[in-house]
């Protein structure tokens, strides 16, 4: 069982930056693929970024490529999402997800989910 707790969300002006953190419990965290997803009001949850268990492979949605960076620190059992050049359309609840089997870009590819953290970007 893995528990995930996101933090770092908040209100920021367009063009600003935020770093989200996802703290995980469980000794097998270092073997899990991790992902970030987001959900805006009235929209479906969408993929943002993912990272393999080793950190050697990363994937990004086209909408955030070049602006967001996913990383992980297995010693701290934490995964990060560094967000820069934020836009109002980045406003959403951001969720951290984990899966023991594979890295993926779809919600149904992840077994464990956090409760989410709100990111609001004002224009």
């Amino acid at each position: 069982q893995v528990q995930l707790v996101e933090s770092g969300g908040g209100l920021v002006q367009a063009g600003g930056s935020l770093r989200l953190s996802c703290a995980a419990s469980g000794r097998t965290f270092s073997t899990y693929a991790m992902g970030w997803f987001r959900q805006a009001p009235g929209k479906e949850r969408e993929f943002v970024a993912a990272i393999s268990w080793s950190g050697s492979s990363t994937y990004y949605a086209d909408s955030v490529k070049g602006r967001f960076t996913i990383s992980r620190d297995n010693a701290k059992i934490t995964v990060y999402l560094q967000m820069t050049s934020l836009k109002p359309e980045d406003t959403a609840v951001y969720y951290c997800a984990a899966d023991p089997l594979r890295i993926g870009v779809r919600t149904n590819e992840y077994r464990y989910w956090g409760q989410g953290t709100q990111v609001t970007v004002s224009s």
Side-chain angles (χ1 to χ4, degrees):
Q1 185 74 15
V2 173
Q3 293 185 326
L4 306 172
V5 179
E6 302 95 335
S7 62
L11 174 64
V12 64
Q13 289 188 332
S17 300
L18 281 176
R19 189 177 79 158
L20 304 183
S21 299
C22 174
S25 65
R27 289 176 289 180
T28 56
F29 169 81
S30 62
T31 64
Y32 282 50
M34 302 294 296
W36 286 98
F37 290 74
R38 66 187 182 187
Q39 188 167 17
K43 295 187 177 181
E44 293 187 351
R45 194 170 298 188
E46 65 175 7
F47 170 74
V48 175
I51 188 167
S52 62
W53 68 269
S54 66
S56 61
S57 297
T58 56
Y59 300 90
Y60 296 93
D62 288 343
S63 59
V64 306
K65 203 171 293 183
R67 300 188 298 122
F68 292 9
T69 302
I70 189 171
S71 62
R72 66 190 297 161
D73 185 335
N74 287 341
K76 295 183 178 179
I77 321 179
T78 302
V79 63
Y80 305 97
L81 185 68
Q82 179 68 49
M83 305 185 295
T84 63
S85 302
L86 282 162
K87 305 174 182 180
E89 51 264 44
D90 294 319
T91 295
V93 177
Y94 282 71
Y95 296 90
C96 175
D99 193 84
L101 295 179
R102 60 181 179 270
I103 189 171
V105 300
R106 292 186 290 270
T107 56
N108 62 3
E109 293 180 302
Y110 288 86
R111 183 177 303 183
Y112 303 106
W113 291 85
Q115 294 299 306
T117 185
Q118 176 71 47
V119 171
T120 303
V121 184
S122 63
S123 56

